[in-house]
Amino acid sequence: MFSNPVYITFALYLVVVLGIGFMAYFATRNFDDYILGGRSLGSFVTAMSAGASDMSGWLLMGLPSAIYLSGLSQSWIAIGLVIGAYFNWLLVAGRLRVFTEFNANALTLPEYFFHRFGANNRLMKIATAGIILFFFTIYCAAGVVAGARLFESLFELDYVTALWLGAGATIVYTFIGGFLAVSWTDTIQASLMIFALIFAPVMVYLNLGGMTEIHAALAMASQTKGIEYDSLVFGTSLVGIVSAAAWGLGYFGQPHILARFMAAQSVKSLNTARRIGMTWMVLCLGGAVAVGYFGLAYFTTHPELIATMADKTGRIDSERIFIELSKLLFNPWVAGVVLSAILAATMSTLSCQLLVCSSAITEDLYKGFIRPNANQKELVWVGRCMVLFIAIIAIVIAYNPNSKVLGLVSNAWAGFGASFGPVVLLSLFWQKTTAQGALAGMIVGALTVVVWKPLTGSELYEMIPGFILAMLAIYVVSLFTKNSAAVEACFAKADKAYQQAK
């Protein structure tokens, strides 16, 4: 077993990321370093870290699976994400970097909201931290499931053992190194992901012999399943298209991505980061779509190999398509590198989510309400303990072997997009947004996401009604309430500073 090149490659990869974690440990001097790296990230690290923390295991497992099952109609998810990410970089990144610094040098989203709206509404911190903990615990569970699927498939382990192994390495380097470890490893992990997602579909294409053979195989699959695989429109309804594209709305409210903007060196560095990040994203999403699309053609041509995607119960698990294609088509040494990309995607997102949860508990609840005078060393160690606490809860949620990565990510993504997206946008662009309006928007957005499908049974992605109703709640309540002169003056100063820093 231990002479297998795939296992050796995996072991080397894990040694590297754990080594980076220990390096970051010695560079972490205070809680600011542990949570935001001292706001010292350059353009390249900011871009790659934002991308890697965004594109979790769903990029290499969930999205190819959706394309494999339903055809190119599911590409609307990728299209929506590209549009949403671009406007997040363009509209939010620079402003948030300046506004958080002007509002008491806020290190977290709850702290930013608290100071942006007057620093006199503790319910704001509690509600924001509560929403982060609720939805991120689900999100973390998705990362744990993705890691478990990888270890289960590669090492032929039972699901529970794979679960603990997949989560273990991420927990260790996040616990030790904090934000710097997460950001530095994200850069390596993002590089691995783009290599794998460009290389894998090219190998499938070459193996099948070209587009003529691929289209013939897809035509056969279309007849068998009765689904149009070749179209972005046919094979789905208007509601399906809108729901898939609406994933892009979620970017404005994702705390783990927004944290990368807050940690950048300067507003100008974010302009370069945007170009790097968007190029990386387009290539990765295009590669993931191609893996699912070409993968369907490959397994249609080689039906005897479909069984390789079966789990221990014999059920075909389409989320393994990238894993199995890599094992079938690549030299074992190359396969080890390519499959490390799934672990990279999982670890990069899970680590930053654990860190955001830890910061919400430590900075916004522990320091905010329990120990206001806690020293920096105490806060760092409380933060580390909270990483362990959240990780264990996520592992418990992920214990169900039938958990689907894309489904878990979908719920959490909608929750953050609807709860925080409208508040972030209006807090940065509308001076009249009040604390009461922001709080109303967060609660309305979160509740709508939770109750939408159980109450309506609609196929419409819950992000859409949640985002719209939250925006309306903020606007209406803000019209009937008022900010203090100090809050509006701070907004004006931050806005002027942003205009000068562009």
Side-chain angles (χ1 to χ4, degrees):
M1 172 179 173
F2 293 104
S3 63
N4 188 312
V6 174
Y7 303 150
I8 294 172
T9 306
F10 254 66
L12 289 173
Y13 170 75
L14 290 173
V15 168
V16 169
V17 295
L18 290 175
I20 290 173
F22 280 103
M23 288 170 57
Y25 175 84
F26 293 107
T28 299
R29 297 174 298 277
N30 52 47
F31 192 63
D32 189 349
D33 288 343
Y34 190 75
I35 294 301
L36 277 189
R39 295 187 190 264
S40 61
L41 299 191
S43 299
F44 185 76
V45 176
T46 298
M48 300 300 265
S49 182
S53 61
D54 168 18
M55 297 297 170
S56 60
W58 83 271
L59 177 67
L60 294 102
M61 298 177 72
L63 183 56
S65 170
I67 300 295
Y68 175 85
L69 292 173
S70 304
L72 286 182
S73 60
Q74 293 301 305
S75 296
W76 284 107
I77 295 176
I79 293 169
L81 288 174
V82 168
I83 295 170
Y86 177 77
F87 281 105
N88 200 33
W89 279 103
L90 188 67
L91 301 177
V92 173
R95 281 184 170 273
L96 188 65
R97 172 63 180 82
V98 172
F99 273 62
T100 51
E101 194 166 9
F102 266 76
N103 284 276
N105 194 34
L107 303 179
T108 67
L109 209 55
E111 190 183 8
Y112 164 63
F113 290 154
F114 179 67
H115 290 289
R116 164 66 180 84
F117 298 114
N120 59 2
N121 189 344
R122 290 195 166 191
L123 186 57
M124 177 75 71
K125 267 194 176 183
I126 295 171
T128 312
I131 290 169
I132 285 175
L133 294 175
F134 178 77
F135 287 113
F136 255 150
T137 304
I138 298 172
Y139 215 147
C140 289
V144 173
V145 170
R149 292 275 180 241
L150 179 62
F151 278 85
E152 183 184 29
S153 177
L154 283 181
F155 302 111
E156 298 181 358
L157 301 169
D158 64 273
Y159 180 78
V160 173
T161 303
L163 195 73
W164 285 99
L165 282 176
T170 308
I171 294 168
V172 170
Y173 81 78
T174 308
F175 176 86
I176 294 170
F179 190 88
L180 288 174
V182 170
S183 299
W184 293 344
T185 53
D186 278 354
T187 304
I188 297 172
Q189 289 162 338
S191 302
L192 263 179
M193 289 159 68
I194 194 169
F195 166 78
L197 285 168
I198 290 174
F199 199 28
V202 168
M203 286 299 292
V204 180
Y205 177 89
L206 294 175
N207 184 273
L208 288 173
M211 286 308 298
T212 302
E213 289 77 8
I214 288 173
H215 279 301
L218 291 170
M220 189 187 308
S222 296
Q223 291 175 358
T224 303
K225 295 188 177 184
I227 297 174
E228 177 59 68
Y229 281 93
D230 264 352
S231 175
L232 277 174
V233 179
F234 299 111
T236 189
S237 63
L238 179 61
V239 171
I241 293 172
V242 172
S243 294
W247 277 64
L249 282 175
Y251 274 104
F252 303 119
Q254 304 301 319
H256 56 303
I257 298 172
L258 299 176
R260 268 61 194 166
F261 302 156
M262 295 158 64
Q265 279 180 337
S266 65
V267 172
K268 287 185 178 178
S269 72
L270 286 166
N271 294 326
T272 303
R274 180 179 72 245
R275 289 188 285 272
I276 297 170
M278 290 308 303
T279 301
W280 179 90
M281 184 180 184
V282 169
L283 291 173
C284 282
L285 284 170
V289 170
V291 167
Y293 191 61
F294 292 171
L296 173 67
Y298 182 84
F299 284 111
T300 300
T301 306
H302 301 88
E304 72 280 3
L305 297 176
I306 292 177
T308 61
M309 288 195 288
D311 60 20
K312 291 185 180 296
T313 67
R315 180 180 59 88
I316 300 300
D317 183 359
S318 59
E319 289 190 341
R320 296 187 182 197
I321 184 171
F322 181 86
I323 297 173
E324 299 308 324
L325 284 173
S326 300
K327 288 162 66 177
L328 289 166
L329 297 177
F330 293 121
N331 172 283
W333 289 101
V334 179
V337 175
V338 171
L339 290 172
S340 293
I342 299 179
L343 187 59
T346 301
M347 292 174 75
S348 60
T349 303
L350 177 58
S351 59
C352 68
Q353 290 164 348
L354 289 172
L355 202 59
V356 171
C357 287
S358 168
S359 67
I361 297 175
T362 306
E363 178 72 15
D364 303 310
L365 299 181
Y366 182 79
K367 183 183 177 184
F369 299 102
I370 300 172
R371 291 269 293 167
N373 298 318
N375 61 42
Q376 292 295 308
K377 185 176 181 181
E378 178 182 346
L379 290 175
V380 170
W381 279 102
V382 171
R384 288 184 171 131
C385 291
M386 291 306 101
V387 165
L388 293 179
F389 175 69
I390 296 298
I392 290 171
I393 295 176
I395 289 170
V396 171
I397 294 173
Y399 247 72
N400 179 4
N402 295 319
S403 298
K404 285 290 184 181
V405 176
L406 190 62
L408 290 170
V409 171
S410 174
N411 293 333
W413 188 265
F416 284 126
S419 302
F420 295 150
V423 182
V424 168
L425 286 171
L426 291 178
S427 74
L428 297 175
F429 287 96
W430 190 34
Q431 191 171 359
K432 301 298 182 182
T433 308
T434 66
Q436 295 87 342
L439 187 58
M442 277 190 279
I443 294 171
V444 168
L447 289 177
T448 303
V449 167
V450 171
V451 306
W452 177 257
K453 285 191 176 176
L455 288 183
T456 68
S458 171
E459 292 299 315
L460 184 67
Y461 188 23
E462 54 267 37
M463 168 93 73
I464 299 169
F467 195 96
I468 293 171
L469 292 176
M471 190 72 81
L472 287 173
I474 298 169
Y475 179 73
V476 171
V477 174
S478 293
L479 288 180
F480 290 96
T481 51
K482 190 177 180 181
N483 281 321
S484 67
V487 168
E488 300 214 352
C490 182
F491 179 98
K493 289 178 182 177
D495 183 63
K496 182 178 180 181
Y498 168 71
Q499 299 301 333
Q500 293 172 342
K502 281 198 299 185

